[in-house]
Amino acid sequence: MWITFRHFMQTYVDDVRYGFRKYAPDMNNFEVRQGVDAQGAFTVQYPDEKLAMPERFRFVPFLVVEDYDHEERPGKDWCTSCGICAKVCPPQCIWIVRSNDPETGRPVPEPEAFFIDIDICMNCGFCAEFCPFDAIKMDHDYELASYDRTTNHIFDKEKLSKEFRYWKTIAPTRAIEEAEARGGWEHKDAQKAARRGGSARTSRTNQDTGRAEKREAVASREAVAEAPASATSAEDEKAKRREAALQRKAARAAKTETAESAPSEAEGQQPWNDSEDEKAKRREAALRRKAARAAKRADDSE
């Protein structure tokens, strides 16, 4: 009782302190009257004056969509119609209609329709807390009174959808915290797509690098193969000369043996009458003659 009486008396004291200019329409002293140093009756002239809502204030939920001027996903829904918000909603005021691809019939990760009955919503914020995609947030707009409760208070997807920049405006601190937890300002799907694009680019870069290395290796081998004869070392020249000398020596020896083992005219006339040893000798002699002719041709070519 004493506290109420004290506040009542301080109302007049505060008016006297302000010189009865507290509610002067031509003076902007709203922050002073509503500050921590103000005394007396704490009232605002609503709806002409409105108190600033704290970030944690929550009213009915709204759906986050990409900014309409987003370069890659303008107006894209952050909601994937997973249905978790509808399941955790205590008064069950959320309805979601999932969409399917008209050609394949497979589900598409975005809602075809989304409804929230704001008369049933108890503003608990469970839907926003449990949403794994940060796609649903609690709005600060509390001026939703209407005489038509059957239609105006059933918010559809068009009424619920608001740009992501709106959330950053009404709750900048929470938006930063969520972006840090999410790994960036973009939606998780956009981040995954960016990573897949980056991986593909990296893969293409690696493939190009591998092809370049292979081309360099082939060019190096061709350069070595096409190197001029003058570039051969002195050791190679010596080896060639030594090999040629050995071939000439072998040719002379084979020529001598051929002369010694030349078949007689009688033997040449009747080779089918020779024994197996003689046939072998004749075969060896023929091979030596063949080698001698080859060596001679090699000498002539030099």
Side-chain angles (χ1 to χ4, degrees):
M1 184 67 181
W2 168 247
I3 294 176
T4 303
F5 179 74
R6 188 181 62 181
H7 285 176
F8 177 73
M9 295 304 297
Q10 285 178 349
T11 300
Y12 294 98
V13 173
D14 210 43
D15 290 341
V16 173
R17 187 176 64 173
Y18 276 93
F20 297 99
R21 292 179 288 106
K22 192 173 183 179
Y23 303 106
D26 56 343
M27 296 184 63
N28 186 13
N29 52 10
F30 178 76
E31 295 182 358
V32 176
R33 289 189 289 106
Q34 296 299 323
V36 295
D37 297 330
Q39 297 180 357
F42 297 92
T43 60
V44 293
Q45 303 299 316
Y46 182 83
D48 296 331
E49 294 179 347
K50 297 178 182 177
L51 292 175
M53 293 294 105
E55 282 195 34
R56 296 286 176 177
F57 176 79
R58 60 174 186 259
F59 206 60
V60 296
F62 73 94
L63 297 177
V64 178
V65 299
E66 292 285 5
D67 297 337
Y68 295 129
D69 56 353
H70 195 279
E71 295 180 355
E72 300 177 355
R73 296 156 43 96
K76 178 72 174 178
D77 294 310
W78 281 36
C79 177
T80 61
S81 66
C82 64
I84 294 178
C85 56
K87 291 180 180 178
V88 300
C89 178
Q92 294 292 292
C93 64
I94 299 177
W95 294 273
I96 303 176
V97 179
R98 296 176 178 173
S99 58
N100 296 324
D101 192 321
E103 297 181 356
T104 62
R106 303 181 64 179
V108 177
E110 61 182 4
E112 181 179 354
F114 202 109
F115 300 97
I116 293 180
D117 189 338
I118 64 171
D119 287 336
I120 299 178
C121 177
M122 54 189 291
N123 317 122
C124 63
F126 276 17
C127 52
E129 292 294 332
F130 281 89
C131 180
F133 302 100
D134 296 331
I136 187 168
K137 301 296 176 187
M138 305 305 291
D139 204 349
H140 289 184
D141 186 10
Y142 50 85
E143 296 177 321
L144 304 176
S146 173
Y147 289 106
D148 186 2
R149 298 178 56 186
T150 57
T151 56
N152 289 336
H153 289 189
I154 305 296
F155 278 24
D156 57 5
K157 187 168 175 290
E158 182 179 1
K159 281 187 176 180
L160 293 171
S161 298
K162 295 186 177 180
E163 293 180 283
F164 179 53
R165 63 163 58 95
Y166 173 74
W167 172 243
K168 290 192 291 186
T169 302
I170 65 174
T173 305
R174 296 190 63 186
I176 292 175
E177 293 174 353
E178 293 168 356
E180 292 176 352
R182 196 168 51 244
W185 286 108
E186 299 292 337
H187 188 266
K188 290 182 178 180
D189 291 346
Q191 295 182 20
K192 290 180 181 178
R195 285 195 292 269
R196 285 197 295 268
S199 300
R201 288 193 294 273
T202 304
S203 179
R204 288 195 294 273
T205 303
N206 294 335
Q207 291 177 0
D208 295 340
T209 304
R211 293 193 189 98
E213 291 177 352
K214 288 181 179 179
R215 285 196 295 272
E216 292 178 358
V218 171
S220 177
R221 288 196 296 269
E222 291 177 353
V224 171
E226 296 175 357
S230 58
T232 56
S233 62
E235 295 295 333
D236 294 339
E237 292 293 337
K238 290 181 179 179
K240 287 182 178 180
R241 288 196 296 271
R242 185 165 54 252
E243 185 178 358
L246 292 174
Q247 289 178 355
R248 288 194 297 271
K249 184 177 180 180
R252 287 195 296 272
K255 187 177 181 180
T256 304
E257 292 180 0
T258 302
E260 292 178 353
S261 61
S264 61
E265 185 177 355
E267 291 174 349
Q269 292 177 353
Q270 297 178 352
W272 54 85
N273 294 326
D274 294 344
S275 61
E276 292 298 327
D277 295 338
E278 291 174 347
K279 288 180 180 179
K281 290 180 180 178
R282 289 168 66 86
R283 189 181 303 109
E284 291 177 358
L287 292 175
R288 284 195 294 270
R289 288 195 298 273
K290 185 176 180 181
R293 287 195 298 272
K296 186 178 181 180
R297 284 196 298 273
D299 293 338
D300 295 339
S301 62
E302 292 180 354

